[in-house]
């Protein structure tokens, strides 16, 4: 669970990082606060033997309404919901499941895998660093990536 939560918090934190945005220390505090909130939220809803069980509960969602866990972590560094909405996509879904973390920007966007690992007893884990391609498309004014419903893996 630690790797999956760290991956999810790192992804949200990277979305908040802009040249004229939040300072490094504030981002570090935000990431730590979000990780703590996710650990508390998931502690009785993490099922490695049945990874899809509880997936909806663990889903982080922004859909013109701020996800309460992100909002709570942002509040810890004095970041308003208004500023969050300026920095984050208006539609973001982040799935944090045992052995996989993936996201989609926009309702019609592609699903991008940030982290995946085989269940214990199989091959070693691999972390995938996002190129932020979906973020870049969002930043240049597209509300969501192109309509492509194929699963894709993003790597650097």
């Amino acid at each position: 669970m630690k790797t999956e939560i760290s991956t999810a918090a790192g992804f949200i934190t990277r979305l908040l990082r802009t040249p004229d945005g939040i300072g490094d220390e504030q981002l570090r505090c935000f990431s730590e606060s979000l990780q703590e909130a996710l650990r508390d939220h998931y502690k009785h809803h993490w099922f490695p033997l049945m990874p899809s069980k509880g997936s909806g509960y663990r889903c982080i969602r922004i859909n013109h309404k701020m996800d309460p866990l992100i909002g709570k972590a942002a509040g810890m560094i004095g970041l308003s919901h208004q500023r969050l909405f300026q920095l984050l996509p208006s539609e973001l879904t982040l799935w944090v499941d045992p052995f996989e973390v993936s996201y989609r920007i926009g309702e019609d966007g592609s699903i991008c895998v940030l982290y995946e690992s085989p269940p214990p007893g199989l091959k070693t884990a691999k972390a995938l660093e996002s190129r932020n391609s979906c973020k870049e498309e969002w930043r240049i004014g597209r509300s969501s990536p192109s309509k492509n419903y194929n699963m894709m893996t993003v790597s650097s």
Side-chain angles (χ1 to χ4, degrees), residues 3 5 9 15 19 21 28-30 33 40 43 48-49 57 61 72 77 83 98 120 122-123 133 140 155:
T3 301
I5 287 174
L15 288 175
R28 186 190 62 73
C29 290
F30 170 84
S33 179
D40 289 346
K43 67 182 166 188
L49 298 177
Y57 182 84
R61 185 89 168 103
K72 178 181 177 182
I77 62 166
R83 183 70 174 133
L122 297 178
K123 296 180 182 179
S133 60
I140 60 173
S155 62

Side-chain angles (χ1 to χ4, degrees), residues 20 27 38 41 45 74 122 127 131 145 151:
D20 60 341
L27 287 171
L38 293 173
H41 191 66
H45 298 273
L122 297 178
R131 292 181 303 184
M151 177 67 97

Side-chain angles (χ1 to χ4, degrees), residues 32 35 40 53 56 64 66 77 89 100 111 130 142 156:
E32 288 176 3
Q35 287 181 62
D40 289 346
K53 181 179 178 180
H64 304 286
M66 187 52 57
I77 62 166
E100 183 173 303
I111 296 173
S130 170
R142 293 182 61 181
S156 51

Side-chain angles (χ1 to χ4, degrees), residues 75-99:
M76 297 296 284
I77 62 166
L79 192 62
S80 70
H81 278 208
Q82 180 181 6
R83 183 70 174 133
L84 274 176
F85 281 117
Q86 291 172 345
L87 296 170
L88 297 174
S90 60
E91 293 179 349
L92 170 69
T93 307
L94 181 61
W95 294 277
V96 184
D97 296 320
F99 316 114

